Amino acid sequence: MKRRCTTRVLPEQMEKDMGKSHISRLCFLAWLSVLFWGFLLYFHFVVLGGTGGVDESAPLQSRSIQSRSSYFMLSKDDSETESTDWRSDDNNPHHEDSATRSKLQSFPFIRALRTVDNKSDPCGGRYIYVHDLPPRFNEDMLKECRSLSLWTNMCKFTSNAGLGPPLENVEGVFSDTGWYATNQFAVDVIFSNRMKQYDCLTRDSSIAAAIFVPFYAGFDVARYLWGYNISTRDAASLDLVDWLMKRPEWKIMGGRDHFLVAGRITWDFRRLTDGETDWGNKLLFLPAAKNMSMLVVESSPWNANDFGIPYPTYFHPAKDADVFIWQDRMRNLERRYLFSFAGAPRPGNPKSIRGQIIDQCKKTNMCKLLECDFGESKCHSPSSIMKMFQSSLFCLQPQGDSYTRRSAFDSMLAGCIPVFFHPGSAYTQYTWHLPKNYDSYSVFIPENDIRKGNVSIEDRLRQISPEQVKIMRETVVSLIPRLIYADPHFKLETLKDAFDVAVQAVINKVTNLRKDIVEGRTNDNFIEENSWKYALLEEGQREVGPHKWDPFFSKPKDGEGDSSGSSAEAAKNSWKNERINQSR
């Protein structure tokens, strides 16, 4: 009864308390609405969010691809079977669990690594971040260009973006455009200006595949080599390292994603002691600099932090067509000489074979010789040198004052097949730019065979059939684009020049390094003194062993090999010969 009574009374109450009941109902509906939206938001962000991909709109820590103890730790096959997949969820067939996601986010370069998989971004995996260095590290040096060399006025050579003044095509040896009087040590400026034209520059270092340091290291060392104490010689290098180590970009990988360029041979930057009479500065021996990659025109076979890039030639095309026209011309030239040599003897160097080469050349009318040590001005004329190379099937390239010489690249630009006598002159130096199969584009005659009089160069070259010569020359001509530096004022359309090849090689190196870090890969068997061997490994190989070229690179001074000390002496001799050349 009570229940019924209550039911009957309710309508009356509602009529009496209409205003009060209306308010209560609104409150109840509001409460239900809050509950509903709260549950919906909880379901979306907590339940669904736990199985989603990375929130790309949220700030993403700079995450990286791993560091390599050795250069060639990771092969293509390895990268496709990694246990920890660093790719983004959109490209990952199996979603990351929370533990994996947390692990990846602990790497401050993973965002840069993941750009590789963004197929809609043509720069994915190719971005370069350039440090904005204080001008004392680069531009100020150019303003004081007269102080960059004791014997050469470098002002004209540092002009025109580092290309130097245009060359006149009086003898018809060059093309009508694209040829310049480029100094062989001008790579610092040329490379930096080419970088300004790179199509994947970024201001966001967290997505950068590598970081470029536009320090003119070659010009810095050149201005202080003679008559300055070691404090002065080392000052800019120490200042640079101090500046870099304070930058947040450095802290990501301790500099292992950084690279710089020096248009000098490596021995100018590897002073062994702090003795005032010792040669060069110690940039490449600084602990921080050992983490960076330094691109030089001649690298050390025994160190892991420098890499060889081509000397600049006189040809700097503005467009692809300039290259194609030049290549066709070099293919079709009539070459009257079997071989040629431009150079001077080195009577003060008992290991040099230049004297024997000159003697052999003089004994046959099949060899064209430009002797550079007897006031022969043609030897320093770009037109005369290129004309000689264009008239020869083979061009002899013995060691210069050190392993390498610019002449090797001038000769290949002329479509002349190079003949090397030491593997350090090209084969272990320019592994980014030249084929590992050196027989395809060159001839190798061991120095000892010449030194002991066991080989006639003419007879050795005559053994190569005309058909094989044609194939080898075609290979040399096909290499021309990757051996020259394009005009920094323009962009090649499809061809990759020496700059492009070097930048991509650095990117590959850093990317593999980052992958190794993520995977925890190490190579405890890596021996830095065997660095030249690692550069020769084929795809998938990781270990090195005895090599047929070991006698050429034995570290102790044993008559057959070389040493850091003797190479430093070679660097000093290089400067002495530059002084002699400029005094003529």
Side-chain angles (χ1 to χ4, degrees):
M1 291 295 296
K2 220 171 189 181
R3 226 177 258 169
R4 283 195 197 120
C5 181
T6 302
T7 305
R8 280 199 303 267
V9 172
L10 187 56
E12 296 175 3
Q13 260 184 315
M14 290 180 66
E15 289 176 2
K16 289 179 182 178
D17 303 311
M18 183 68 72
K20 183 178 178 180
S21 176
H22 181 68
I23 294 173
S24 299
R25 188 164 27 175
L26 286 176
C27 290
F28 178 74
L29 290 173
W31 180 81
L32 285 177
S33 177
V34 170
L35 183 65
F36 172 79
W37 284 108
F39 176 80
L40 187 63
L41 290 173
Y42 174 84
F43 182 83
H44 179 76
F45 287 105
V46 177
V47 178
L48 291 180
T51 60
V54 175
D55 181 7
E56 292 295 340
S57 66
L60 197 51
Q61 299 176 14
S62 203
R63 312 171 255 193
S64 209
I65 306 177
Q66 150 95 36
S67 126
R68 301 159 86 189
S69 300
S70 72
Y71 297 159
F72 303 92
M73 278 286 299
L74 191 71
S75 70
K76 218 177 234 180
D77 294 337
D78 294 330
S79 65
E80 294 171 357
T81 59
E82 295 171 343
S83 58
T84 301
D85 201 325
W86 44 265
R87 296 170 294 181
S88 63
D89 258 2
D90 293 338
N91 300 284
N92 192 347
H94 53 279
H95 290 306
E96 301 166 350
D97 57 30
S98 59
T100 301
R101 189 163 56 253
S102 176
K103 176 186 175 183
L104 289 176
Q105 290 180 358
S106 69
F107 298 110
F109 46 70
I110 204 69
R111 186 181 179 197
L113 188 53
R114 281 178 165 172
T115 64
V116 178
D117 289 312
N118 186 352
K119 304 306 180 185
S120 64
D121 183 1
C123 288
R126 298 176 53 232
Y127 285 108
I128 297 291
Y129 177 86
V130 181
H131 274 301
D132 185 14
L133 295 181
R136 66 181 181 274
F137 293 119
N138 40 50
E139 294 304 319
D140 285 353
M141 295 186 204
L142 302 186
K143 294 176 183 177
E144 301 173 359
C145 52
R146 289 186 178 274
S147 68
L148 297 179
S149 173
L150 278 178
W151 311 289
T152 305
N153 180 2
M154 291 296 293
C155 294
K156 72 173 184 177
F157 296 116
T158 57
S159 66
N160 195 22
L163 304 185
L167 287 172
E168 295 183 6
N169 191 23
V170 177
E171 300 183 60
V173 176
F174 312 128
S175 312
D176 290 332
T177 60
W179 290 78
Y180 301 87
T182 305
N183 186 275
Q184 65 174 334
F185 301 126
V187 172
D188 304 60
V189 183
I190 296 173
F191 202 98
S192 290
N193 282 298
R194 282 286 285 111
M195 184 62 77
K196 294 174 183 177
Q197 294 281 21
Y198 185 65
D199 54 358
C200 292
L201 295 178
T202 180
R203 295 178 183 271
D204 182 1
S205 62
S206 71
I207 64 170
I211 296 177
F212 179 57
V213 182
F215 173 47
Y216 293 164
F219 289 151
D220 170 57
V221 74
R223 57 184 174 170
Y224 298 131
L225 277 175
W226 299 95
Y228 292 89
N229 60 33
I230 60 172
S231 297
T232 302
R233 283 182 264 159
D234 292 338
S237 297
L238 293 169
D239 189 13
L240 173 74
V241 167
D242 181 66
W243 188 91
L244 288 172
M245 293 179 68
K246 293 176 180 177
R247 299 289 304 174
E249 296 85 6
W250 181 272
K251 294 177 173 61
I252 300 303
M253 294 185 69
R256 288 177 292 177
D257 53 356
H258 285 50
F259 72 105
L260 67 160
V261 173
R264 304 292 316 185
I265 61 177
T266 190
W267 317 112
D268 289 335
F269 310 98
R270 293 188 179 277
R271 192 181 69 244
L272 296 174
T273 73
D274 284 337
E276 294 292 345
T277 59
D278 210 347
W279 181 256
N281 68 27
K282 60 179 181 181
L283 172 59
L284 283 174
F285 282 140
L286 297 177
K290 288 184 177 182
N291 284 349
M292 293 190 286
S293 297
M294 187 154 161
L295 314 188
V296 289
V297 293
E298 178 178 315
S299 63
S300 165
W302 309 295
N303 298 99
N305 59 333
D306 59 358
F307 302 85
I309 58 174
Y311 285 87
T313 65
Y314 304 108
F315 185 39
H316 307 282
K319 54 183 183 297
D320 286 8
D322 296 341
V323 182
F324 296 145
I325 292 171
W326 179 257
Q327 287 177 299
D328 285 341
R329 182 179 166 188
M330 293 305 101
R331 288 186 180 99
N332 300 317
L333 283 177
E334 289 293 328
R335 300 175 185 265
R336 58 175 296 194
Y337 296 105
L338 176 64
F339 61 107
S340 62
F341 174 65
R346 294 290 187 266
N349 182 359
K351 294 170 59 178
S352 175
I353 61 170
R354 286 187 171 208
Q356 291 96 320
I357 286 176
I358 291 173
D359 289 343
Q360 288 202 33
C361 189
K362 287 180 176 180
K363 291 177 181 178
T364 174
N365 59 6
M366 296 303 293
C367 178
K368 174 66 175 176
L369 176 65
L370 281 180
E371 293 186 87
C372 305
D373 203 34
F374 304 100
E376 179 76 62
S377 61
K378 288 184 177 181
C379 199
H380 309 291
S381 162
S383 179
S384 297
I385 292 173
M386 292 303 296
K387 186 176 182 179
M388 182 188 72
F389 289 155
Q390 289 174 23
S391 67
S392 308
L393 290 175
F394 298 93
C395 294
L396 309 185
Q397 301 297 342
Q399 295 187 71
D401 298 295
S402 58
Y403 289 135
T404 63
R405 57 198 307 242
R406 171 191 180 151
S407 175
F409 295 97
D410 290 334
S411 66
M412 286 189 278
L413 175 60
C416 188
I417 300 168
V419 180
F420 295 111
F421 302 86
H422 192 293
S425 296
Y427 307 145
T428 63
Q429 286 286 342
Y430 310 108
T431 56
W432 292 347
H433 295 79
L434 294 174
K436 290 181 180 177
N437 179 17
Y438 60 87
D439 288 330
S440 67
Y441 70 92
S442 71
V443 176
F444 180 61
I445 303 175
E447 284 182 334
N448 260 351
D449 288 348
I450 302 299
R451 192 175 290 118
K452 296 176 181 178
N454 295 336
V455 169
S456 162
I457 297 173
E458 181 177 358
D459 290 347
R460 172 71 176 82
L461 298 179
R462 284 186 180 278
Q463 292 173 6
I464 305 173
S465 69
E467 295 77 15
Q468 185 61 27
V469 169
K470 185 176 181 180
I471 293 172
M472 294 172 72
R473 183 167 64 247
E474 178 58 34
T475 302
V476 170
V477 171
S478 70
L479 289 172
I480 288 176
R482 61 195 295 118
L483 303 181
I484 58 177
Y485 296 91
D487 189 331
H489 300 100
F490 303 93
K491 286 185 177 181
L492 299 182
E493 296 87 356
T494 61
L495 295 176
K496 303 299 182 185
D497 72 343
F499 166 87
D500 294 316
V501 172
V503 170
Q504 188 58 54
V506 170
I507 288 174
N508 293 343
K509 175 181 178 292
V510 175
T511 299
N512 286 338
L513 174 63
R514 289 170 169 174
K515 289 178 181 178
D516 287 350
I517 291 174
V518 171
E519 290 304 304
R521 299 176 190 265
T522 61
N523 185 359
D524 297 332
N525 297 323
F526 177 73
I527 302 173
E528 186 174 17
E529 194 170 306
N530 287 334
S531 291
W532 65 272
K533 295 184 181 182
Y534 290 95
L536 301 176
L537 290 178
E538 298 295 336
E539 189 74 35
Q541 292 182 322
R542 300 181 185 180
E543 301 295 333
V544 298
H547 197 283
K548 62 182 179 181
W549 289 337
D550 282 337
F552 289 96
F553 298 110
S554 55
K555 200 71 181 290
K557 297 181 180 180
D558 58 6
E560 291 278 335
D562 205 341
S563 73
S564 297
S566 60
S567 295
E569 188 63 29
K572 187 182 297 185
N573 290 334
S574 176
W575 281 89
K576 289 178 180 177
N577 284 302
E578 181 185 350
R579 176 182 60 185
I580 294 171
N581 294 338
Q582 293 302 323
S583 65
R584 290 180 177 142

